[in-house]
Amino acid sequence: MKTQARPNIGSYEERLKGFSWSAAESELGYTPGADINIAWYCTDRICQQGKGGKTALLWEGLGGVEKRYTFDDLRLASNTIASFLQGLGIAPEERVCLFMDRIPELYLGFLGALKAGAVVQPLFSAFGDESLLVRLENAQTKAILTTRKHVGKVRKIREKLPCLKHIIVVDDDGRKALQEREVAFSLARSKPVEDFKAAATKAESPSVLHYTSGTTGMPKGVRHVHYSLVSQYLTAKWVLDLREDDVYWCTADPGWVTGTSYGIIGPWSQGITQCVLDVGFTAEAWYRFIQKRRVTVWYSAPTAIRALMKAGEEIVKKHDLSSLRHLVSVGEPLNAEAVVWSERVFGLPFHDSYWQTETGSIMITNFPGVKIKPGSMCKPFPGITAALLDMATFEPFHESGKVGLIAIKPGWPAMLRGYWNNQEAFEKKFKNGWYLTGDRATLDQDGYFWFVGRDDDVINTAGHLVSPFEVESALLEHPAVAESAVVSKPDEINMEVVKAFVTLKAGFAESDDLKLEIMNFIRKKLSPLAMPTEIEFIAQLPKTRSGKIMRRMLKAKEWGQEIGDTSTLEND
Ligand code: WT7
């Protein structure tokens, strides 16, 4: 074990006493009622503190191409993008989508859109046209920032999107003619805008719209507000333990909430240097990056850790990883073995952190300096009241070992303010004055939370949620598919992967080629994550008397569980 300086949080117990978010507001210099714009806090304010020359972003892409941006560069670039967006006529609270790989423009575009007062909608660049379409349609998105590599997918669907007025290609090289509604933008060729007044957004003004998948229905847009900054700032400080001289690496893509809350807002609102690696995962590439960048704080995910474990210890020893001082994980259950392993090979345990797109910031976590019980998520963040509710009565209980629903008392700064245009789904998330996470856990005698599983059929593959409903709907669009049921199956690295049971239409014969064709169909339409890694043809799907597909029965088989009482399954 490496010896650690006293963590930012100091004593967890002390922080719980008399906790109030207003101390974080004061640190940020925010007074209730004043303007609050996340992008201003991440750029202009840091420059005002005299840190304009400090490195904000160390970026590395394919082939080792590097770029470096200071906080003053962030300020100027976000000003320039914001003024370009306003010039196009983007009005406050209109949705601006970001659809690109993890290139610098993604980070700068995020800040620029917020500075312009727009609601920023980041979407994972590996999404296919169908995934993109439903999310742009739902949000009535007005503009999309994308690149030559991905604009083809936008072109395919733009006729169905009358609201989408501007398709902004941020790396246009002039070689191919731009098409209808498309406009080129280049930071390098734009005149930097020195003075730009950030939109006068208030605490409750909408900021970020992240789409997340549920069991039923189409993906939901999780609506966050600028005030979320207060939670994200303080959790980054106390859980990620970020300090002035850190080099922080968050491995998540800003298409997902970890990549915005802690890959942009948390660290930059504190003026912390962070690095980004925009290449695919290999153990070699990651270790080399940590060594080269002298990464000190590393925020990653269990799937990546399991993949590193599989790559073995020899490769760890070939690299100098001595800069690392604090490791945190999120997105899926962090296996006890992974904690023990990281302590052995890096001399540091991974600290688990539990939260959701909806919560906007970390809820339950292992704090630096607090005893880790490998396999447990530890305790709620100060200011967060988390409890387990009885699965039938929705009443909180304290019994250790009993499985309950993880619930949180509403009111923390980063809590979602709603689902975009879906009040009904939002209301369903609350019972007896509690916000329901939809996850199950147990508590032990020390008040530590132990994750048990989700309370629905959503598939968590490599830390990303996939809706069985969305995959089933897409499968139906394939000419050979009559019906389907999509479930999770266990996977050594990704924890869960997608499996589809499919019945074929008359005239189609089962074959391996057809399986591959269907898989590819989903990969292109939705995303590589949503692609079933296995397709099983089946003569008939198990159904309830009322005709509902018994997904859980198929799932139980995949997990080697008792199928149990099918009469209860029928009522599901
Ligand atoms: C769901 C939320 C939070 C950012 C990334 C995911 C699962 C998340 C943990 C953890 C066990 C976890 C839950 C949760 N999850 N963190 N530490 N241990 N499970 O955000 O896509 O909204 O997914 O991921 O099931 O509800 P998301």
Side-chain angles (χ1 to χ4, degrees):
M1 264 299 267
K2 295 185 185 178
T3 47
Q4 296 276 344
R6 186 174 159 80
N8 287 341
I9 189 169
S11 147
Y12 174 66
E13 303 300 329
E14 287 300 314
R15 293 289 192 191
L16 288 178
K17 290 182 199 155
F19 176 87
S20 129
W21 293 105
S22 58
E25 290 177 354
S26 311
E27 278 183 34
L28 285 163
Y30 167 74
T31 42
D35 293 350
I36 176 171
N37 185 299
I38 288 174
W40 181 85
Y41 271 94
C42 291
T43 59
D44 300 65
R45 179 169 182 265
I46 305 300
C47 294
Q48 283 177 10
Q49 292 173 336
K51 293 197 268 183
K54 182 177 173 179
T55 301
L57 175 64
L58 287 161
W59 179 86
E60 187 173 324
L62 277 179
V65 185
E66 290 177 21
K67 288 182 182 167
R68 178 190 293 268
Y69 297 82
T70 63
F71 279 97
D72 200 51
D73 294 333
L74 292 192
R75 183 185 66 82
L76 284 171
S78 55
N79 281 354
T80 309
I81 294 171
S83 101
F84 176 78
L85 290 172
Q86 285 190 345
L88 287 179
I90 304 295
E93 301 192 14
E94 284 188 321
R95 275 69 63 208
V96 172
C97 172
L98 302 170
F99 188 57
M100 58 187 97
D101 297 345
R102 271 181 277 176
I103 57 173
E105 282 82 354
L106 176 57
Y107 297 81
L108 303 167
F110 182 89
L111 298 171
L114 290 179
K115 252 188 193 177
V119 173
V120 62
Q121 179 192 21
L123 291 178
F124 186 43
S125 63
F127 275 155
D129 52 298
E130 182 74 25
S131 291
L132 191 60
L133 174 66
V134 295
R135 289 159 175 83
L136 295 177
E137 213 164 31
N138 183 266
Q140 308 260 289
T141 307
K142 176 124 182 227
I144 184 167
L145 289 134
T146 188
T147 54
R148 281 174 289 148
K149 182 175 164 191
H150 297 289
V151 73
K153 292 185 273 190
V154 186
R155 286 177 181 168
K156 246 171 123 175
I157 56 174
R158 75 178 154 207
E159 290 315 320
K160 296 181 190 158
L161 295 165
C163 291
L164 187 67
K165 298 279 190 272
H166 310 285
I167 301 165
I168 303 155
V169 184
V170 300
D171 63 347
D172 180 58
D173 60 0
R175 280 202 225 156
K176 266 197 192 151
L178 291 174
Q179 301 184 6
E180 178 204 331
R181 293 186 239 171
E182 291 174 5
V183 50
F185 173 77
S186 155
L187 257 179
R189 278 178 273 132
S190 302
K191 189 172 172 301
V193 175
E194 181 59 45
D195 294 306
F196 183 88
K197 187 165 171 358
T201 45
K202 298 285 183 194
E204 294 302 310
S205 305
S207 55
V208 185
L209 189 63
H210 273 297
Y211 275 74
T212 188
S213 299
T215 315
T216 54
M218 281 301 169
K220 296 174 296 224
V222 177
R223 185 161 55 83
H224 286 292
V225 296
H226 281 270
Y227 188 61
S228 70
L229 169 71
V230 173
S231 289
Q232 288 149 350
Y233 166 84
L234 196 65
T235 46
K237 187 169 171 186
W238 286 359
V239 180
L240 302 176
D241 199 41
L242 298 177
R243 312 204 187 139
E244 196 51 55
D245 55 355
D246 270 321
V247 178
Y248 166 66
W249 185 28
C250 169
T251 61
D253 187 304
W256 314 97
V257 73
T258 308
T260 57
S261 290
Y262 298 106
I264 298 180
I265 308 171
W268 281 344
S269 62
Q270 241 188 284
I272 301 295
T273 301
Q274 63 166 334
C275 47
V276 168
L277 178 63
D278 185 27
V279 304
F281 172 86
T282 63
E284 171 71 33
W286 277 32
Y287 290 141
R288 188 194 49 74
F289 190 63
I290 293 172
Q291 171 177 303
K292 178 170 163 194
R293 288 297 170 208
R294 306 292 300 152
V295 172
T296 56
V297 178
W298 184 19
Y299 197 20
S300 199
T303 289
I305 302 165
R306 286 189 291 266
L308 292 174
M309 287 169 78
K310 206 168 173 202
E313 282 174 52
E314 276 311 303
I315 185 162
V316 179
K317 290 187 192 128
K318 287 197 194 122
H319 294 86
D320 174 8
L321 308 179
S322 60
S323 55
L324 291 171
R325 71 167 184 85
H326 185 47
L327 317 182
V328 190
S329 162
V330 65
E332 314 153 64
L334 178 63
N335 337 36
E337 307 83 69
V339 178
V340 174
W341 178 82
S342 83
E343 197 155 357
R344 192 175 73 242
V345 304
F346 304 129
L348 298 164
F350 264 97
H351 293 68
D352 199 4
S353 70
Y354 165 86
W355 56 294
Q356 307 179 302
T357 306
E358 284 88 342
T359 70
S361 64
I362 295 166
M363 295 286 107
I364 301 177
T365 185
N366 285 116
F367 298 90
V370 173
K371 180 182 164 189
I372 291 180
K373 299 189 192 184
S376 158
M377 313 191 291
C378 202
K379 298 197 180 190
F381 192 79
I384 299 297
T385 308
L388 293 185
L389 305 187
D390 183 274
M391 312 237 276
T393 63
F394 297 100
E395 289 299 330
F397 65 83
H398 300 282
E399 250 170 278
S400 57
K402 176 178 154 180
V403 177
L405 301 168
I406 307 177
I408 300 161
K409 270 268 170 257
W412 68 98
M415 187 179 105
L416 83 160
R417 298 304 198 266
Y419 290 119
W420 199 261
N421 273 334
N422 196 343
Q423 183 64 14
E424 193 191 333
F426 181 58
E427 281 165 15
K428 278 197 192 141
K429 295 294 287 183
F430 299 87
K431 272 264 162 58
N432 289 348
W434 292 91
Y435 163 77
L436 306 178
T437 61
D439 289 312
R440 298 176 185 175
T442 60
L443 271 168
D444 70 15
Q445 270 145 354
D446 300 324
Y448 278 54
F449 284 77
W450 296 75
F451 188 83
V452 171
R454 290 186 61 92
D455 196 39
D456 60 20
D457 291 336
V458 171
I459 301 164
N460 187 337
T461 180
H464 299 295
L465 304 188
V466 172
S467 153
F469 173 79
E470 211 181 340
V471 182
E472 287 163 4
S473 307
L475 280 167
L476 284 183
E477 290 179 40
H478 188 280
V481 176
E483 272 189 317
S484 72
V486 167
V487 299
S488 66
K489 69 169 207 172
D491 182 79
E492 193 194 344
I493 300 290
N494 297 312
M495 188 174 84
E496 295 183 343
V497 287
V498 178
K499 170 163 181 180
F501 291 88
V502 167
T503 65
L504 292 178
K505 282 189 188 151
F508 287 91
E510 296 178 6
S511 73
D512 286 345
D513 280 351
L514 181 57
K515 283 184 184 172
L516 283 179
E517 189 193 307
I518 296 173
M519 286 178 186
N520 258 320
F521 179 77
I522 300 297
R523 184 178 57 81
K524 282 185 78 176
K525 239 184 171 15
L526 298 181
S527 73
L529 291 167
M531 182 189 83
T533 58
E534 186 186 341
I535 291 190
E536 184 173 329
F537 294 124
I538 185 169
Q540 237 182 348
L541 294 171
K543 286 187 188 165
T544 61
R545 256 169 264 128
S546 59
K548 237 174 130 186
I549 294 168
M550 290 197 283
R551 224 189 245 142
R552 264 179 219 181
M553 202 167 136
L554 295 165
K555 183 175 165 188
K557 216 179 85 203
E558 294 305 314
W559 290 82
Q561 292 160 348
E562 289 283 321
I563 291 172
D565 182 357
T566 50
S567 62
T568 58
L569 282 166
E570 288 188 15
N571 292 330
D572 266 353

